[in-house]
Amino acid sequence: MVVTLTLQAESSEGKRLSDSVYETMLSAIISGKLKPGTIVSEVALSRQLNVSRTPVHDALRQLAKDGLVQQRANHRAVVAEFTAADIYDLYQMRKLLEGEAARLAAKGMDRATLARLRETANSLAEDRDNPKWGALWADFDEDFHNAIAESSGSPRLCQDIARYHLLHRGFNKLGTTPEGLEHALEEHVRILDAIEKRDPKEAQRAMVDHLQEWQAYFVRHFRKKSSE
Amino acid sequence: MVVTLTLQAESSEGKRLSDSVYETMLSAIISGKLKPGTIVSEVALSRQLNVSRTPVHDALRQLAKDGLVQQRANHRAVVAEFTAADIYDLYQMRKLLEGEAARLAAKGMDRATLARLRETANSLAEDRDNPKWGALWADFDEDFHNAIAESSGSPRLCQDIARYHLLHRGFNKLGTTPEGLEHALEEHVRILDAIEKRDPKEAQRAMVDHLQEWQAYFVRHFRKKSSE
DNA sequence: TTTCGTGGTTTAGTATACCAAACACATGAG
DNA sequence: CTCATGTGTTTGGTATACTAAACCACGAAA
Protein backbone atom coordinates (compact mmCIF):
# COMPACT_ATOMS: atom_id res chain seq x y z
CA MET A 1 0.00 0.00 0.00
CA VAL A 2 1.33 3.39 -0.95
CA VAL A 3 0.79 6.28 1.40
CA THR A 4 1.25 9.80 0.16
CA LEU A 5 2.68 12.29 2.59
CA THR A 6 3.51 15.96 2.27
CA LEU A 7 5.39 18.22 4.63
CA GLN A 8 3.09 20.24 6.82
CA ALA A 9 2.73 23.96 6.29
CA GLU A 10 4.61 25.03 9.38
CA SER A 11 7.76 23.74 7.78
CA SER A 12 8.25 27.18 6.28
CA GLU A 13 8.55 28.84 9.66
CA GLY A 14 12.13 29.02 10.81
CA LYS A 15 12.01 25.59 12.40
CA ARG A 16 14.10 22.53 11.85
CA LEU A 17 13.28 20.34 8.90
CA SER A 18 13.62 17.30 11.12
CA ASP A 19 10.91 18.69 13.38
CA SER A 20 8.61 19.18 10.43
CA VAL A 21 9.22 15.62 9.35
CA TYR A 22 8.56 14.49 12.92
CA GLU A 23 5.24 16.29 13.04
CA THR A 24 4.25 15.04 9.62
CA MET A 25 4.97 11.45 10.58
CA LEU A 26 3.28 11.95 13.92
CA SER A 27 0.03 13.18 12.48
CA ALA A 28 0.18 10.51 9.80
CA ILE A 29 0.39 7.86 12.48
CA ILE A 30 -2.18 9.25 14.86
CA SER A 31 -4.60 9.98 12.03
CA GLY A 32 -4.34 6.39 10.90
CA LYS A 33 -2.83 7.16 7.49
CA LEU A 34 0.16 5.09 8.55
CA LYS A 35 -1.13 1.90 10.05
CA PRO A 36 0.63 -0.15 12.74
CA GLY A 37 2.98 -2.68 11.23
CA THR A 38 3.78 -0.53 8.23
CA ILE A 39 7.48 -0.55 7.55
CA VAL A 40 8.92 2.89 6.94
CA SER A 41 12.05 3.40 4.90
CA GLU A 42 14.26 6.43 5.32
CA VAL A 43 15.00 6.76 1.63
CA ALA A 44 11.38 6.32 0.60
CA LEU A 45 10.25 8.93 3.12
CA SER A 46 12.97 11.37 2.18
CA ARG A 47 12.01 11.11 -1.48
CA GLN A 48 8.32 11.60 -0.70
CA LEU A 49 8.98 14.66 1.44
CA ASN A 50 11.67 16.09 -0.82
CA VAL A 51 14.25 16.28 1.91
CA SER A 52 17.44 14.35 2.51
CA ARG A 53 17.70 11.29 4.69
CA THR A 54 19.27 13.19 7.57
CA PRO A 55 16.18 14.93 8.97
CA VAL A 56 14.13 11.81 8.31
CA HIS A 57 16.63 9.78 10.28
CA ASP A 58 16.41 12.30 13.12
CA ALA A 59 12.64 12.25 13.12
CA LEU A 60 12.48 8.46 13.23
CA ARG A 61 14.79 8.36 16.23
CA GLN A 62 12.51 10.79 18.04
CA LEU A 63 9.43 8.80 17.15
CA ALA A 64 11.18 5.68 18.37
CA LYS A 65 11.81 7.37 21.69
CA ASP A 66 8.10 8.17 21.89
CA GLY A 67 7.31 4.56 21.22
CA LEU A 68 5.43 5.29 18.02
CA VAL A 69 7.84 3.42 15.80
CA GLN A 70 10.09 0.50 16.61
CA GLN A 71 13.59 0.47 15.23
CA ARG A 72 14.44 -3.17 14.89
CA ALA A 73 17.92 -4.57 14.69
CA ASN A 74 17.05 -5.72 11.16
CA HIS A 75 17.70 -2.27 9.84
CA ARG A 76 13.99 -1.83 9.53
CA ALA A 77 11.65 0.53 11.28
CA VAL A 78 7.97 -0.24 11.64
CA VAL A 79 5.04 1.74 12.96
CA ALA A 80 4.46 0.42 16.46
CA GLU A 81 1.92 -2.33 16.87
CA PHE A 82 -0.02 -2.63 20.07
CA THR A 83 -0.91 -5.83 21.81
CA ALA A 84 -3.72 -6.10 24.31
CA ALA A 85 -1.12 -6.16 27.09
CA ASP A 86 0.42 -2.94 25.75
CA ILE A 87 -2.93 -1.23 25.76
CA TYR A 88 -3.65 -2.41 29.26
CA ASP A 89 -0.31 -1.13 30.49
CA LEU A 90 -0.72 2.17 28.67
CA TYR A 91 -4.04 2.81 30.38
CA GLN A 92 -2.69 1.79 33.76
CA MET A 93 -0.23 4.64 33.32
CA ARG A 94 -2.88 7.04 32.10
CA LYS A 95 -5.08 6.25 35.09
CA LEU A 96 -2.20 6.89 37.45
CA LEU A 97 -0.97 10.09 35.80
CA GLU A 98 -4.23 11.67 34.72
CA GLY A 99 -5.97 10.68 37.92
CA GLU A 100 -3.34 12.63 39.79
CA ALA A 101 -3.63 15.52 37.33
CA ALA A 102 -7.40 15.66 37.79
CA ARG A 103 -6.96 15.68 41.55
CA LEU A 104 -4.57 18.61 41.31
CA ALA A 105 -6.64 20.38 38.67
CA ALA A 106 -9.63 20.38 41.04
CA LYS A 107 -7.56 22.69 43.20
CA GLY A 108 -5.76 24.68 40.57
CA MET A 109 -7.79 25.07 37.39
CA ASP A 110 -8.74 28.67 36.72
CA ARG A 111 -12.30 29.68 35.94
CA ALA A 112 -11.58 30.74 32.37
CA THR A 113 -10.28 27.33 31.38
CA LEU A 114 -13.13 25.61 33.17
CA ALA A 115 -15.65 27.78 31.35
CA ARG A 116 -14.04 27.14 27.98
CA LEU A 117 -14.08 23.37 28.44
CA ARG A 118 -17.67 23.39 29.58
CA GLU A 119 -18.73 25.50 26.65
CA THR A 120 -17.02 23.21 24.15
CA ALA A 121 -18.57 20.18 25.82
CA ASN A 122 -22.02 21.74 25.60
CA SER A 123 -21.67 22.67 21.95
CA LEU A 124 -20.50 19.15 21.18
CA ALA A 125 -23.48 17.65 22.96
CA GLU A 126 -25.87 19.74 20.90
CA ASP A 127 -24.06 19.28 17.62
CA ARG A 128 -24.00 15.53 17.41
CA ASP A 129 -25.34 15.43 13.87
CA ASN A 130 -22.37 17.32 12.52
CA PRO A 131 -20.64 15.10 9.94
CA LYS A 132 -17.27 16.11 11.35
CA TRP A 133 -18.29 15.20 14.88
CA GLY A 134 -15.51 12.65 15.21
CA ALA A 135 -12.80 15.17 14.43
CA LEU A 136 -14.41 17.77 16.71
CA TRP A 137 -14.48 15.20 19.46
CA ALA A 138 -10.81 14.36 18.97
CA ASP A 139 -9.88 18.03 19.24
CA PHE A 140 -11.95 18.43 22.38
CA ASP A 141 -10.51 15.31 23.92
CA GLU A 142 -7.02 16.62 23.26
CA ASP A 143 -7.87 20.03 24.68
CA PHE A 144 -9.64 18.55 27.69
CA HIS A 145 -6.94 16.20 28.85
CA ASN A 146 -4.25 18.72 28.06
CA ALA A 147 -5.97 21.49 30.02
CA ILE A 148 -6.31 19.28 33.06
CA ALA A 149 -2.68 18.26 32.80
CA GLU A 150 -1.56 21.88 32.62
CA SER A 151 -3.79 22.84 35.51
CA SER A 152 -1.95 20.33 37.65
CA GLY A 153 0.90 22.79 37.86
CA SER A 154 3.49 20.07 37.26
CA PRO A 155 5.45 20.44 34.02
CA ARG A 156 6.73 16.88 34.09
CA LEU A 157 3.33 15.40 34.78
CA CYS A 158 2.00 17.45 31.91
CA GLN A 159 4.70 16.25 29.57
CA ASP A 160 4.27 12.59 30.42
CA ILE A 161 0.52 12.80 30.04
CA ALA A 162 0.96 14.37 26.63
CA ARG A 163 3.28 11.55 25.64
CA TYR A 164 0.80 8.86 26.61
CA HIS A 165 -2.09 10.74 25.09
CA LEU A 166 -0.13 10.69 21.85
CA LEU A 167 0.08 6.92 21.99
CA HIS A 168 -3.62 6.81 22.79
CA ARG A 169 -4.39 8.80 19.67
CA GLY A 170 -2.09 6.49 17.77
CA PHE A 171 -4.53 3.61 17.79
CA ASN A 172 -7.67 5.48 18.82
CA LYS A 173 -8.77 5.79 15.22
CA LEU A 174 -8.66 2.07 14.73
CA GLY A 175 -11.98 1.51 16.35
CA THR A 176 -14.41 3.72 18.21
CA THR A 177 -18.16 3.77 18.13
CA PRO A 178 -20.31 6.91 18.12
CA GLU A 179 -22.09 5.66 21.23
CA GLY A 180 -18.75 5.17 22.95
CA LEU A 181 -17.74 8.73 22.21
CA GLU A 182 -21.04 10.14 23.46
CA HIS A 183 -20.65 8.16 26.64
CA ALA A 184 -17.12 9.49 26.99
CA LEU A 185 -18.46 13.00 26.59
CA GLU A 186 -20.79 12.44 29.53
CA GLU A 187 -17.86 11.21 31.58
CA HIS A 188 -15.92 14.32 30.71
CA VAL A 189 -18.80 16.39 32.00
CA ARG A 190 -18.71 14.42 35.24
CA ILE A 191 -15.04 15.26 35.61
CA LEU A 192 -15.73 18.93 34.92
CA ASP A 193 -18.47 18.92 37.53
CA ALA A 194 -16.08 17.55 40.11
CA ILE A 195 -13.45 20.14 39.26
CA GLU A 196 -16.00 22.92 39.44
CA LYS A 197 -17.05 21.69 42.88
CA ARG A 198 -13.35 21.78 43.80
CA ASP A 199 -13.60 18.18 44.90
CA PRO A 200 -10.18 16.56 44.28
CA LYS A 201 -11.14 13.05 45.35
CA GLU A 202 -14.19 13.02 43.14
CA ALA A 203 -12.29 14.50 40.19
CA GLN A 204 -9.65 11.82 40.48
CA ARG A 205 -12.24 9.08 40.78
CA ALA A 206 -14.18 10.35 37.78
CA MET A 207 -11.05 10.54 35.66
CA VAL A 208 -9.89 7.06 36.64
CA ASP A 209 -13.35 5.64 35.97
CA HIS A 210 -13.40 7.33 32.60
CA LEU A 211 -10.05 5.91 31.57
CA GLN A 212 -11.01 2.55 33.00
CA GLU A 213 -13.85 2.35 30.52
CA TRP A 214 -11.61 3.16 27.60
CA GLN A 215 -9.14 0.62 28.88
CA ALA A 216 -11.71 -2.14 29.09
CA TYR A 217 -13.10 -1.22 25.68
CA PHE A 218 -9.76 -1.18 23.89
CA VAL A 219 -8.37 -4.26 25.58
CA ARG A 220 -11.50 -6.16 24.55
CA HIS A 221 -11.23 -4.73 21.06
CA PHE A 222 -7.59 -5.69 20.64
CA ARG A 223 -8.01 -9.14 22.08
CA LYS A 224 -10.74 -9.80 19.57
CA LYS A 225 -8.65 -8.48 16.70
CA SER A 226 -5.55 -10.47 17.59
CA SER A 227 -7.54 -13.68 17.86
CA GLU A 228 -9.03 -13.44 14.40
CA MET B 1 37.20 24.20 31.97
CA VAL B 2 38.22 21.28 29.87
CA VAL B 3 36.51 17.96 30.38
CA THR B 4 38.04 14.80 28.99
CA LEU B 5 35.68 12.15 27.76
CA THR B 6 36.22 8.76 26.21
CA LEU B 7 33.75 6.43 24.59
CA GLN B 8 32.57 3.71 26.91
CA ALA B 9 33.67 0.14 26.40
CA GLU B 10 30.36 -1.18 25.18
CA SER B 11 30.84 0.81 22.02
CA SER B 12 32.54 -2.20 20.50
CA GLU B 13 29.46 -4.39 20.75
CA GLY B 14 27.34 -4.24 17.65
CA LYS B 15 25.44 -1.21 18.83
CA ARG B 16 25.02 2.19 17.29
CA LEU B 17 27.77 4.71 17.77
CA SER B 18 25.15 7.33 18.55
CA ASP B 19 23.93 5.19 21.44
CA SER B 20 27.44 4.89 22.79
CA VAL B 21 27.85 8.64 22.60
CA TYR B 22 24.50 9.01 24.31
CA GLU B 23 25.55 6.76 27.17
CA THR B 24 28.91 8.43 27.48
CA MET B 25 27.33 11.86 27.72
CA LEU B 26 24.71 10.53 30.08
CA SER B 27 27.17 9.11 32.54
CA ALA B 28 29.32 12.22 32.23
CA ILE B 29 26.35 14.32 33.22
CA ILE B 30 25.04 12.12 36.02
CA SER B 31 28.51 11.63 37.44
CA GLY B 32 29.00 15.36 37.58
CA LYS B 33 31.91 15.43 35.14
CA LEU B 34 29.80 17.70 32.95
CA LYS B 35 28.31 20.32 35.20
CA PRO B 36 24.97 22.03 34.63
CA GLY B 37 25.37 25.13 32.53
CA THR B 38 28.31 23.76 30.55
CA ILE B 39 27.90 24.45 26.87
CA VAL B 40 28.53 21.45 24.67
CA SER B 41 29.65 21.73 21.07
CA GLU B 42 29.07 19.02 18.53
CA VAL B 43 32.44 19.46 16.85
CA ALA B 44 34.34 19.58 20.13
CA LEU B 45 32.61 16.42 21.32
CA SER B 46 33.09 14.59 18.06
CA ARG B 47 36.80 15.37 18.12
CA GLN B 48 37.13 14.22 21.71
CA LEU B 49 35.34 10.96 21.06
CA ASN B 50 36.94 10.35 17.67
CA VAL B 51 33.64 10.04 15.86
CA SER B 52 31.98 12.26 13.33
CA ARG B 53 29.41 14.89 14.18
CA THR B 54 26.48 12.76 13.04
CA PRO B 55 26.22 10.38 16.01
CA VAL B 56 27.01 13.24 18.37
CA HIS B 57 24.18 15.23 16.86
CA ASP B 58 21.87 12.26 17.31
CA ALA B 59 22.88 11.78 20.92
CA LEU B 60 22.33 15.42 21.79
CA ARG B 61 18.83 15.32 20.35
CA GLN B 62 18.05 12.31 22.51
CA LEU B 63 19.49 13.96 25.60
CA ALA B 64 17.44 17.04 24.83
CA LYS B 65 14.33 14.89 24.73
CA ASP B 66 15.28 13.53 28.15
CA GLY B 67 15.66 17.06 29.45
CA LEU B 68 19.32 16.60 30.27
CA VAL B 69 20.52 19.20 27.80
CA GLN B 70 18.71 22.22 26.44
CA GLN B 71 19.06 23.01 22.76
CA ARG B 72 18.69 26.73 22.52
CA ALA B 73 17.70 28.61 19.41
CA ASN B 74 21.15 30.20 19.45
CA HIS B 75 22.69 27.11 17.90
CA ARG B 76 24.03 26.30 21.32
CA ALA B 77 23.32 23.39 23.62
CA VAL B 78 23.91 23.51 27.36
CA VAL B 79 23.74 20.89 30.09
CA ALA B 80 20.43 21.42 31.85
CA GLU B 81 20.41 23.37 35.07
CA PHE B 82 18.04 22.47 37.85
CA THR B 83 16.13 25.00 39.86
CA ALA B 84 14.54 24.25 43.20
CA ALA B 85 11.17 24.13 41.46
CA ASP B 86 12.51 21.52 39.00
CA ILE B 87 13.72 19.37 41.84
CA TYR B 88 10.40 19.67 43.61
CA ASP B 89 8.54 18.67 40.48
CA LEU B 90 10.89 15.80 39.79
CA TYR B 91 10.25 14.33 43.23
CA GLN B 92 6.53 14.85 42.94
CA MET B 93 6.73 12.53 39.95
CA ARG B 94 8.95 10.05 41.70
CA LYS B 95 6.59 9.88 44.65
CA LEU B 96 3.67 9.24 42.34
CA LEU B 97 5.39 6.65 40.16
CA GLU B 98 7.53 4.84 42.67
CA GLY B 99 4.81 4.91 45.29
CA GLU B 100 2.62 3.03 42.85
CA ALA B 101 5.46 0.68 41.99
CA ALA B 102 6.08 -0.12 45.65
CA ARG B 103 2.39 -0.80 46.12
CA LEU B 104 2.42 -3.25 43.22
CA ALA B 105 5.75 -4.74 44.22
CA ALA B 106 4.31 -5.66 47.61
CA LYS B 107 2.04 -7.99 45.71
CA GLY B 108 4.37 -9.15 42.98
CA MET B 109 8.01 -9.19 44.07
CA ASP B 110 9.45 -12.69 44.12
CA ARG B 111 11.29 -14.05 47.14
CA ALA B 112 14.67 -14.26 45.40
CA THR B 113 14.74 -10.57 44.60
CA LEU B 114 13.55 -9.69 48.07
CA ALA B 115 16.28 -11.80 49.62
CA ARG B 116 18.95 -10.26 47.41
CA LEU B 117 17.93 -6.71 48.30
CA ARG B 118 17.83 -7.49 51.98
CA GLU B 119 21.23 -9.10 51.88
CA THR B 120 22.80 -6.13 50.12
CA ALA B 121 21.16 -3.77 52.58
CA ASN B 122 22.52 -5.75 55.51
CA SER B 123 26.04 -5.89 54.16
CA LEU B 124 25.91 -2.13 53.52
CA ALA B 125 24.78 -1.49 57.07
CA GLU B 126 27.72 -3.45 58.47
CA ASP B 127 30.29 -2.09 56.07
CA ARG B 128 29.87 1.60 56.67
CA ASP B 129 33.58 2.23 57.14
CA ASN B 130 34.38 1.11 53.62
CA PRO B 131 36.02 4.03 51.80
CA LYS B 132 33.93 3.29 48.73
CA TRP B 133 30.71 3.28 50.72
CA GLY B 134 29.26 6.11 48.65
CA ALA B 135 29.66 4.22 45.39
CA LEU B 136 28.34 1.01 46.93
CA TRP B 137 25.34 2.93 48.15
CA ALA B 138 24.68 4.40 44.71
CA ASP B 139 24.76 0.93 43.17
CA PHE B 140 22.39 -0.43 45.79
CA ASP B 141 20.05 2.53 45.40
CA GLU B 142 19.94 1.91 41.67
CA ASP B 143 19.34 -1.80 42.14
CA PHE B 144 16.73 -1.24 44.83
CA HIS B 145 14.53 1.21 43.00
CA ASN B 146 14.96 -0.66 39.76
CA ALA B 147 13.98 -3.99 41.30
CA ILE B 148 10.84 -2.50 42.78
CA ALA B 149 9.94 -0.92 39.46
CA GLU B 150 10.37 -4.21 37.66
CA SER B 151 8.38 -6.06 40.27
CA SER B 152 5.46 -3.78 39.51
CA GLY B 153 4.86 -5.76 36.34
CA SER B 154 4.33 -2.63 34.28
CA PRO B 155 6.93 -2.05 31.56
CA ARG B 156 5.98 1.57 31.08
CA LEU B 157 6.01 2.36 34.76
CA CYS B 158 9.40 0.74 34.95
CA GLN B 159 10.72 2.79 32.06
CA ASP B 160 9.46 6.09 33.41
CA ILE B 161 10.86 5.39 36.84
CA ALA B 162 14.24 4.62 35.31
CA ARG B 163 14.11 7.91 33.42
CA TYR B 164 13.46 9.94 36.54
CA HIS B 165 15.94 7.99 38.58
CA LEU B 166 18.51 8.97 35.97
CA LEU B 167 17.73 12.63 36.51
CA HIS B 168 17.95 12.04 40.24
CA ARG B 169 21.44 10.67 39.83
CA GLY B 170 22.24 13.68 37.66
CA PHE B 171 22.42 16.07 40.58
CA ASN B 172 22.60 13.54 43.42
CA LYS B 173 26.36 13.77 43.40
CA LEU B 174 26.23 17.50 43.95
CA GLY B 175 25.54 17.19 47.63
CA THR B 176 24.73 14.34 50.01
CA THR B 177 25.83 13.74 53.57
CA PRO B 178 26.89 10.37 55.02
CA GLU B 179 24.21 10.70 57.69
CA GLY B 180 21.61 11.31 55.01
CA LEU B 181 22.60 8.15 53.18
CA GLU B 182 22.51 6.05 56.34
CA HIS B 183 19.09 7.39 57.12
CA ALA B 184 18.00 6.56 53.58
CA LEU B 185 19.27 3.04 54.06
CA GLU B 186 17.02 2.65 57.09
CA GLU B 187 14.10 3.86 55.02
CA HIS B 188 14.89 1.31 52.36
CA VAL B 189 14.75 -1.38 55.00
CA ARG B 190 11.34 -0.09 56.07
CA ILE B 191 10.13 -0.44 52.49
CA LEU B 192 11.54 -3.95 52.27
CA ASP B 193 9.78 -4.87 55.50
CA ALA B 194 6.47 -3.70 54.11
CA ILE B 195 6.99 -5.64 50.89
CA GLU B 196 7.92 -8.77 52.82
CA LYS B 197 4.75 -8.41 54.86
CA ARG B 198 2.91 -8.11 51.54
CA ASP B 199 1.37 -4.88 52.74
CA PRO B 200 0.79 -2.69 49.65
CA LYS B 201 -0.52 0.36 51.52
CA GLU B 202 2.40 0.38 53.91
CA ALA B 203 4.94 -0.19 51.11
CA GLN B 204 3.54 2.74 49.18
CA ARG B 205 3.53 4.96 52.25
CA ALA B 206 7.09 4.02 53.16
CA MET B 207 8.29 4.74 49.63
CA VAL B 208 6.52 8.07 49.44
CA ASP B 209 7.87 9.07 52.85
CA HIS B 210 11.35 8.09 51.77
CA LEU B 211 11.20 10.17 48.61
CA GLN B 212 9.59 13.00 50.51
CA GLU B 213 12.68 13.27 52.66
CA TRP B 214 14.98 13.39 49.67
CA GLN B 215 12.71 15.97 48.14
CA ALA B 216 12.78 18.22 51.19
CA TYR B 217 16.52 17.81 51.50
CA PHE B 218 17.33 18.64 47.89
CA VAL B 219 14.87 21.48 47.58
CA ARG B 220 16.40 23.07 50.68
CA HIS B 221 19.86 22.42 49.31
CA PHE B 222 19.15 24.00 45.94
CA ARG B 223 17.34 26.98 47.37
CA LYS B 224 20.35 27.73 49.50
CA LYS B 225 22.74 27.34 46.59
CA SER B 226 20.74 29.55 44.24
CA SER B 227 20.51 32.32 46.83
CA GLU B 228 24.25 32.58 47.35
C1' DT C 1 33.93 56.56 25.71
C1' DT C 2 30.25 54.47 23.61
C1' DT C 3 27.90 52.57 19.86
C1' DC C 4 27.10 50.69 15.73
C1' DG C 5 28.66 48.31 11.93
C1' DT C 6 31.43 44.59 9.67
C1' DG C 7 33.84 40.65 8.50
C1' DG C 8 35.90 36.41 10.18
C1' DT C 9 34.88 32.39 12.91
C1' DT C 10 32.08 28.94 14.83
C1' DT C 11 27.79 26.94 15.30
C1' DA C 12 24.06 23.54 14.09
C1' DG C 13 21.14 21.87 10.15
C1' DT C 14 21.05 19.65 5.94
C1' DA C 15 22.70 17.22 1.81
C1' DT C 16 25.47 13.82 -0.18
C1' DA C 17 28.67 9.86 -0.27
C1' DC C 18 30.20 5.52 1.45
C1' DC C 19 29.95 1.15 3.76
C1' DA C 20 28.72 -3.06 6.17
C1' DA C 21 24.88 -5.76 7.22
C1' DA C 22 20.67 -7.91 6.05
C1' DC C 23 17.31 -9.00 2.95
C1' DA C 24 15.31 -11.22 -1.42
C1' DC C 25 15.36 -13.72 -5.08
C1' DA C 26 17.33 -16.90 -8.15
C1' DT C 27 19.86 -20.81 -9.09
C1' DG C 28 21.79 -25.17 -8.22
C1' DA C 29 22.36 -29.63 -5.61
C1' DG C 30 20.10 -33.21 -3.27
C1' DC D 1 10.04 -30.38 -4.70
C1' DT D 2 13.06 -28.73 -0.85
C1' DC D 3 16.62 -26.58 0.94
C1' DA D 4 21.11 -24.46 0.80
C1' DT D 5 23.89 -21.08 -1.19
C1' DG D 6 25.35 -17.09 -3.73
C1' DT D 7 24.70 -12.58 -5.50
C1' DG D 8 22.54 -8.20 -6.42
C1' DT D 9 19.75 -4.88 -3.99
C1' DT D 10 18.17 -2.25 -0.20
C1' DT D 11 18.65 -0.93 4.31
C1' DG D 12 20.33 2.16 8.08
C1' DG D 13 24.65 4.03 10.32
C1' DT D 14 28.45 6.96 9.73
C1' DA D 15 31.58 10.26 7.59
C1' DT D 16 32.21 14.30 5.04
C1' DA D 17 30.87 18.60 2.62
C1' DC D 18 28.18 22.59 2.31
C1' DT D 19 25.22 26.39 3.98
C1' DA D 20 22.82 29.80 6.72
C1' DA D 21 22.72 31.90 10.90
C1' DA D 22 24.68 33.59 15.14
C1' DC D 23 28.49 34.94 17.81
C1' DC D 24 32.66 37.70 18.58
C1' DA D 25 36.12 40.92 18.22
C1' DC D 26 37.84 44.77 16.35
C1' DG D 27 37.50 49.27 14.38
C1' DA D 28 35.45 53.52 12.83
C1' DA D 29 32.33 57.14 13.74
C1' DA D 30 29.57 59.96 16.92
Side-chain angles (χ1 to χ4, degrees):
Chain A
M1 179 192 61
V2 176
V3 180
T4 59
L5 296 175
T6 43
L7 268 191
Q8 306 206 333
E10 55 256 81
S11 59
S12 49
E13 304 170 21
K15 300 199 308 182
R16 285 187 265 255
L17 255 185
S18 57
D19 286 341
S20 298
V21 174
Y22 173 81
E23 284 163 22
T24 303
M25 292 285 297
L26 190 62
S27 72
I29 293 176
I30 68 181
S31 72
K33 251 187 294 187
L34 278 175
K35 297 198 187 343
T38 309
I39 64 175
V40 290
S41 145
E42 292 187 358
V43 286
L45 258 180
S46 63
R47 264 203 289 266
Q48 270 212 329
L49 302 177
N50 278 314
V51 297
S52 85
R53 270 184 52 216
T54 312
V56 174
H57 182 75
D58 257 41
L60 285 181
R61 296 290 308 255
Q62 303 294 318
L63 289 165
K65 195 139 199 159
D66 287 334
L68 281 162
V69 310
Q70 298 173 344
Q71 290 183 306
R72 299 180 177 167
N74 318 353
H75 276 193
R76 256 173 189 78
V78 305
V79 177
E81 293 188 89
F82 295 97
T83 67
D86 281 335
I87 304 287
Y88 178 83
D89 192 36
L90 169 57
Y91 274 89
Q92 289 298 106
M93 289 305 291
R94 285 195 70 194
K95 285 191 287 186
L96 180 65
L97 298 175
E98 302 208 35
E100 173 76 359
R103 195 176 67 79
L104 294 167
K107 302 174 184 173
M109 182 178 283
D110 58 284
R111 298 189 188 290
T113 306
L114 194 51
R116 171 169 56 84
L117 292 178
R118 196 172 281 284
E119 188 177 0
T120 315
N122 285 340
S123 77
L124 263 180
E126 292 168 8
D127 197 24
R128 66 187 53 162
D129 293 331
N130 190 317
K132 292 186 179 176
W133 203 83
L136 290 176
W137 158 261
D139 288 346
F140 172 60
D141 190 51
E142 176 85 17
D143 187 26
F144 180 83
H145 287 276
N146 193 31
I148 289 180
E150 284 185 355
S151 299
S152 75
S154 166
R156 294 182 198 279
L157 183 59
C158 194
Q159 187 176 324
D160 284 356
I161 287 176
R163 198 158 43 86
Y164 283 121
H165 196 77
L166 221 56
L167 291 179
H168 160 78
R169 289 183 59 189
F171 61 84
N172 194 347
K173 295 280 169 74
L174 299 180
T176 51
T177 65
E179 308 83 50
L181 295 185
E182 289 199 16
H183 179 60
L185 180 57
E186 290 168 20
E187 290 177 328
H188 280 194
V189 171
R190 262 192 63 212
I191 298 168
L192 282 180
D193 289 342
I195 293 178
E196 195 156 38
K197 279 191 300 183
R198 302 299 176 186
D199 184 342
K201 286 277 178 200
E202 175 60 21
Q204 180 171 27
R205 179 165 35 237
M207 175 64 87
V208 171
D209 285 350
H210 165 55
L211 292 171
Q212 182 97 34
E213 298 219 13
W214 278 112
Q215 179 179 43
Y217 174 78
F218 278 121
V219 166
R220 210 161 41 227
H221 183 77
F222 272 75
R223 253 195 249 287
K224 181 163 62 85
K225 219 180 54 165
S226 63
S227 67
E228 64 187 19
Chain B
M1 181 193 59
V2 176
V3 179
T4 58
L5 295 176
T6 42
L7 266 192
Q8 307 206 333
E10 53 257 80
S11 59
S12 49
E13 304 169 23
K15 301 197 310 181
R16 284 188 264 257
L17 255 185
S18 58
D19 287 341
S20 297
V21 175
Y22 173 83
E23 285 164 23
T24 302
M25 292 284 298
L26 191 62
S27 72
I29 292 175
I30 68 181
S31 72
K33 250 186 295 188
L34 277 175
K35 298 201 184 342
T38 308
I39 64 174
V40 291
S41 145
E42 292 187 0
V43 287
L45 259 179
S46 63
R47 265 202 289 265
Q48 269 212 329
L49 302 177
N50 278 314
V51 296
S52 85
R53 270 184 53 220
T54 311
V56 174
H57 182 75
D58 258 40
L60 284 181
R61 297 289 307 256
Q62 303 295 317
L63 288 166
K65 196 140 196 163
D66 287 334
L68 281 163
V69 309
Q70 296 174 346
Q71 289 183 307
R72 300 183 176 165
N74 319 354
H75 276 194
R76 256 171 188 80
V78 305
V79 177
E81 295 189 85
F82 293 98
T83 67
D86 281 335
I87 305 289
Y88 178 84
D89 191 35
L90 168 57
Y91 275 88
Q92 289 298 107
M93 289 306 290
R94 285 195 71 193
K95 286 192 286 186
L96 179 65
L97 298 174
E98 302 208 35
E100 174 76 359
R103 195 177 67 80
L104 294 167
K107 302 174 184 173
M109 182 178 283
D110 58 283
R111 297 188 189 288
T113 306
L114 195 52
R116 171 169 57 86
L117 292 178
R118 195 172 282 282
E119 189 179 358
T120 314
N122 285 340
S123 75
L124 263 180
E126 292 167 8
D127 198 25
R128 66 187 53 162
D129 292 331
N130 190 316
K132 290 187 180 176
W133 203 84
L136 290 176
W137 159 261
D139 287 347
F140 171 61
D141 191 50
E142 177 85 18
D143 187 26
F144 179 83
H145 287 276
N146 192 34
I148 289 179
E150 283 184 358
S151 299
S152 75
S154 165
R156 294 183 199 279
L157 183 58
C158 195
Q159 188 176 324
D160 283 356
I161 288 176
R163 198 157 44 83
Y164 284 122
H165 196 78
L166 222 55
L167 290 180
H168 160 78
R169 288 182 58 189
F171 59 85
N172 194 345
K173 298 278 170 74
L174 300 181
T176 50
T177 65
E179 307 82 49
L181 294 186
E182 288 199 19
H183 178 59
L185 180 56
E186 290 168 21
E187 290 177 329
H188 279 197
V189 171
R190 261 192 65 212
I191 298 170
L192 283 180
D193 288 342
I195 293 178
E196 195 156 38
K197 280 190 299 183
R198 303 298 177 188
D199 184 341
K201 285 279 179 200
E202 174 59 21
Q204 178 171 27
R205 180 167 35 237
M207 176 65 88
V208 171
D209 285 350
H210 165 56
L211 293 171
Q212 182 96 37
E213 297 218 12
W214 278 112
Q215 179 179 44
Y217 175 78
F218 279 121
V219 166
R220 210 162 39 226
H221 184 78
F222 272 76
R223 251 194 252 289
K224 181 164 63 82
K225 220 180 56 166
S226 64
S227 66
E228 62 188 21

